[in-house]
Amino acid sequence: MDMPMMSQDVMQEHEVKRYFNILRESVIRSHLTMTVVFLTFANDVQNHAVPEEMSMFLKSKLRKTDLLFQLVDGKHWGIFFLQSSVVEARAFLERIFNILEEEHSNLLVNATITEIRNNDVSFDTLITQNKQLLTKIGQKKWAVEEIIDYQQPPTEHVKVSVIEQNQIFRQVLEVAISQLVIPHFSLEVSTYEDGYSFFQSNNYKSAHIHLIITNDILPRKNGFEILHLLRAMPNGNKFIIYMMSERNSESVAINAYDGGADEFITKPFNLRLLEAKIKRTFERLWL
Amino acid sequence: MIELSIPFLLSAILVMLTVLAVFIVYILFQRSREVRFNKARAVYLQTYSQAWYAFLFQDAEFSIAMIPRGKAQVAAVEEIFSSYLKNVINAEVTNKIQNSANQYLKKFYAKDLTSRFWGVRMNALYRIADFRINELLDEALQFEQKKISKEEYFQLLKIYSILQPEIFLKKIKEARTRYSESEYRRLFILLSDDVFNQMFDDFYNNEQNIQLAIIDTTAVKRNMQFIENLKRLLNDESDEIKIRALKGLYEIGIVDEIDTYIPFVTSNVWEIRLMVAKIFKYAPLTYTYPYLEQLLQDENWWVRSQAAKTIAEEREGVAKLQQFIAHADDQYAIEMVQETIVRKQGNR
Amino acid sequence: MKILDYLMMFFSELIILYMLFVIMSYCIMFIVALLDIQRRYRLDPSEYDDAHIDAFYSKPVSLLVPAYNEEIGVVDTVYSLLNLRYPQTEIIIINDGSTDRTLQTVIEHFKMKPVQQIIRVNIPTKQVKQIYQSEIYQNCILVDKDNGGKADALNVGINISQYPYFCSIDGDSILDEKSLLRVMKPIILSDGEVVAAGGNVRIANGAKMQLGSVYETNLPKNYLVVMQIIEYLRAFLMGRIALSKFNLVLIISGAFSVFSKKWAVEAGGYSTNIIGEDMELVVNIHRLLKEKKEKKRIEFVPDPVCWTEAPQTVGVLRRQRRRWHQGLMESLWKHKKMTFNPRYGLIGFISFPYFWLIECLGPVIELAGYLYIIIAFFLGGIYYEMAVVLLLLFVIYGVIFSVASVLFEAWSMNTYPSMRDLFRMTILSFTEIFWYRPLTLVWRCEGLVRFLFGKSDWGNMKRVGIAKKENSV
């Protein structure tokens, strides 16, 4: 293994290692899935120009947000696909395999995919594991295997605040939402009778993602004011705000959306629908 | 000389004071009853609202302990049911509430219907409609035979419309009492499309208040199939009906062709011209512009203002308006257009 | 001595006759009110309210809040308006050239941003300087204008409003969340046959309020205020309800009333050169309706509640009463031709005579009655009896009616639920004739005198501008 096999234009293993930790943490914080693909040759390559050719080829096929690097041995390549899941990685591989078969018939390639949604994995483990897997499937051609160990997001604690005046209905919402099972999220539900008591509680100050389900009319500090105050906060985006209203009037709904509400729900509504909306809202947090 | 002796006045005052004293004792008594009532209601709510939730939403068993006994507990159950009905749509829950009301509340309301207090009777009628207590339909029909107020009859109509639409259609035709448009609207909005269609088929056999209410309700129902119905009414001879039908079409907000509306651009009723200017908001400006330009120079302020607004809504509308100013000579129209442009740009 | 005898005789006859007449008419009105309220006994109003929260049933309303130096109260008022359970409203706050921080307070609180808007001038007014719109609540508008008095401010509001009905609310009042829904009820249900409706005004002193919502009503400690509460109750049970039943209302409180814009504009809007602009508008509309032979009505609605701060000190109360009475006299005098004019129907034959006799002259005659009792006491002899008769009539008129009103209120509406409050009000009612009544009589007579000598402080009024400015002292 001598130096000429290394491409000058492609990042090297030791350079990428530093980035990986940052990328991995931002996966958790921003709920953006990252997928890593490793590639290697399935056949024995003698020609020194081939790895260089491979580097150039891969580079030409990537988006600006994808990060290509070469491992120390010069025979493995890795790619970080940011904001992408295994589906996109597979699509990418399928595409380049087709092109390789047609245009570079001298290259036979195998690949592995690792989808990352938690921070349980270190860079070294990642590389070791993938290398091992690639070796294992060394006999095949055009094979794609997956490592699924890091695909489960960590369970995230989120807050839900129900702000509704009618005590009976407030209870209904509290029970219904507490019983919701949303994978990878644990909900902490609290209820308030109006905006004033909500702001008194200071519950809104934590950094957790916070779903607010509020009525528009409330005795002290109404829904619109809650909406405005929360959206004006520096980290206002952590709030997901649903507004409920018994006023069946377009202008109220438009005002709510203009003010930054994520959902406007006219009463009476179907609880199951609300539950489905909440579920979908949280699922959508992970790409 | 007026014969007002001191003893007479004194005794009159004494009598009145006694009456007031009795009244105050009565109020005291009533207050304490109220306190007990509220307490009993609160206790019931505290104890059983979870159980009701479990029963209605989670298919839990109904326990006999939940059966309301006495007025206070009935009031508590009413509160629970109303809260759910007001906030939640769920066919299963509505059915369960109906069944429970049929079983456990029926006898209370049947008795309330015979109360001498109008307020109590009204409350009972409200609840029968809210909880759809169909087993009280016979009582309602009997109740109708008594000498009842306009408001009570209205509630009866509402009950029929919910529980037995055929009776409702019959009674509406009888027109025993006349109601205002808004009251008719409150009735019609609850009707299913099917029953409502029957009302529309019978359009001309009704008095005007009902006709107008039917048109307005049509607009709110936003059902595509009603558009044709409304268009047909545009040939009516009454201006009011024409205006309402246009308003309805505007509210539905679907304009598939503009030919129907063109004759109204030159109507001699300004409200009609105004409605046309509004409706054109939903048609491409390329088709409507010549007519809107005509309306820009209308003699009526509202029509001019609406025409300018409608034009300005479209993306190239402001440019068109500026073009218009360049070679128009109608000073009023020019002013209106200028103001509209200022407003449009100012609020960006 | 002979002359004095005849004079005393004559006066006592006159006063007693008058008292009997007043007692009779109050009795009649009380019975009418009783029947009306008894009917709604135990009715659950929430049923009706819920049905009407849908925009489809109700009519949009523009809420006008004229504000002159109201930096303390106006924010709470607007909050209470934002919390109204009503599908479609716009809130127009009109800053009438305040000299304090009213404008800045509103701008800061509701994040107001200047906007361009075309104003259609229906009623000529003072210059509008700038219109603002709230970033939080898009239906909330602030208008900054040159000072021109409350009436002028309201006219600007009418010009800017875009909805067919407008509701005027004083910048120091708070509305109950369902009050607008209920005051609009007669208008909506009658398909516009009711062209104006006034709500019931309650005194807010003692009520616990926070951010524009009243969550506990207690009777205030101040006797003067409690006395005013009793007075309000009485005025409403023995007057407003009965008059409203027969479309005879001449006064609906300016603190909270709804008008059809069409009719108000046609009647010329609010008059700027008169003290009682609210009464003036009502009378003008009545006049217009009768002249056009329209079968429209103006109603008083008993339960919608508007909370307003009442004067707490004698001085402020005195100024308020003096001004009210002067305003009343002005309006009556301006429309004196309507009295007994067959063209104006019952308004001419009942309302006007009623107001002339009981509201206008009443204080004079009653005050004379008080004087009579005092003089008779000194003269002694045969006058004793007369004085006692008169005193007893005052007791019926003052004490019995007040107690009856308090108790009836407690039975039907129960605004002050604690037993202690009820007793306090009842006992205080017994003292009314000895202090509160004579005091208010004197003040009203002062107003009358001021009217007669044209001592209207125009310039001063303009500066005081809005409403019961004295209240917030």
Side-chain angles (χ1 to χ4, degrees), chain A residues 36-38 86 90 93 110-114 130 133-134 136-137 140 142-148:
Chain A
V36 192
V37 167
F38 283 93
V86 67
R90 271 189 188 278
L93 288 173
N110 283 329
T112 54
I113 303 176
T114 316
N130 276 286
L133 185 59
L134 283 169
K136 220 174 99 186
I137 58 171
K140 301 181 186 173
W142 307 116
V144 176
E145 291 281 321
E146 259 183 70
I147 293 177
I148 54 167

Side-chain angles (χ1 to χ4, degrees), chain A residues 164-281:
Chain A
E164 153 75 40
Q165 203 183 349
N166 180 323
Q167 196 224 335
I168 294 173
F169 186 53
R170 196 163 67 219
Q171 255 176 4
V172 170
L173 286 176
E174 185 180 5
V175 174
I177 297 171
S178 307
Q179 289 173 350
L180 264 185
V181 179
I182 303 172
H184 321 307
F185 289 95
S186 72
L187 308 185
E188 176 196 330
V189 187
S190 40
T191 60
Y192 307 92
E193 56 176 358
D194 57 21
Y196 180 76
S197 51
F198 170 69
F199 282 106
Q200 284 291 307
S201 77
N202 282 334
N203 191 18
Y204 65 96
K205 280 184 180 158
S206 70
H208 298 94
I209 290 187
H210 200 152
L211 172 68
I212 313 274
I213 302 175
T214 176
N215 202 34
D216 59 339
I217 298 176
L218 295 166
R220 298 168 296 173
K221 284 207 196 294
N222 61 41
F224 282 94
E225 199 171 356
I226 296 172
L227 191 61
H228 180 80
L229 289 173
L230 293 182
R231 284 289 180 242
M233 283 179 185
N235 51 356
N237 281 331
K238 74 175 185 204
F239 296 107
I240 301 163
I241 306 176
Y242 287 9
M243 194 177 282
M244 309 177 285
S245 174
E246 56 201 48
R247 293 187 286 184
N248 186 1
S249 123
E250 283 163 5
S251 58
V252 177
I254 292 170
N255 281 353
Y257 283 122
D258 279 350
D262 296 296
E263 289 279 355
F264 184 84
I265 310 165
T266 312
K267 288 179 177 178
F269 55 82
N270 192 327
L271 267 186
R272 303 249 298 280
L273 201 68
L274 176 75
E275 290 168 4
K277 272 183 180 159
I278 295 174
K279 258 188 145 149
R280 186 65 204 130
T281 302

Side-chain angles (χ1 to χ4, degrees), chain B residues 195-314:
Chain B
V195 182
F196 185 67
N197 255 336
Q198 292 183 47
M199 292 275 340
F200 217 122
D201 292 340
D202 225 15
F203 188 82
Y204 284 102
N205 293 333
N206 290 307
E207 52 149 330
Q208 204 191 14
N209 271 357
I210 296 185
Q211 292 180 348
L212 296 178
I214 290 177
I215 299 177
D216 289 355
T217 312
T218 309
V220 172
K221 292 210 172 221
R222 298 229 168 137
N223 195 327
M224 293 281 285
Q225 71 183 88
F226 294 145
I227 294 181
E228 286 311 310
N229 285 342
L230 286 179
K231 279 192 181 168
R232 228 174 297 136
L233 293 177
L234 293 178
N235 301 320
D236 196 279
E237 53 212 44
S238 150
D239 284 337
E240 184 61 29
I241 294 218
K242 269 189 246 173
I243 295 169
R244 293 295 183 99
L246 285 167
K247 197 166 161 239
L249 286 162
Y250 165 72
E251 269 160 32
I252 295 178
I254 296 168
V255 175
D256 47 354
E257 43 90 27
I258 60 165
D259 296 342
T260 316
Y261 307 107
I262 291 167
F264 296 111
V265 172
T266 48
S267 162
N268 42 19
V269 182
W270 71 266
E271 286 95 337
I272 290 183
R273 300 197 302 272
L274 175 71
M275 285 322 301
V276 175
K278 277 190 165 182
I279 284 177
F280 279 173
K281 199 166 95 178
Y282 297 115
L285 195 58
T286 38
Y287 297 106
T288 56
Y289 186 74
Y291 306 105
L292 284 169
E293 193 178 285
Q294 201 175 329
L295 292 170
L296 262 186
Q297 299 163 65
D298 200 278
E299 59 186 33
N300 184 287
W301 189 92
W302 294 106
V303 178
R304 291 202 301 274
S305 159
Q306 184 57 51
K309 261 189 235 159
T310 302
I311 297 173
E313 289 259 326
E314 199 138 324

Side-chain angles (χ1 to χ4, degrees), chain B residues 81 96-106 131 133:
Chain B
F81 285 0
K96 278 187 180 169
I97 287 180
Q98 180 179 27
N99 292 337
S100 310
N102 267 327
Q103 253 177 306
Y104 309 115
L105 302 180
K106 190 176 74 181
F131 308 149
I133 310 181

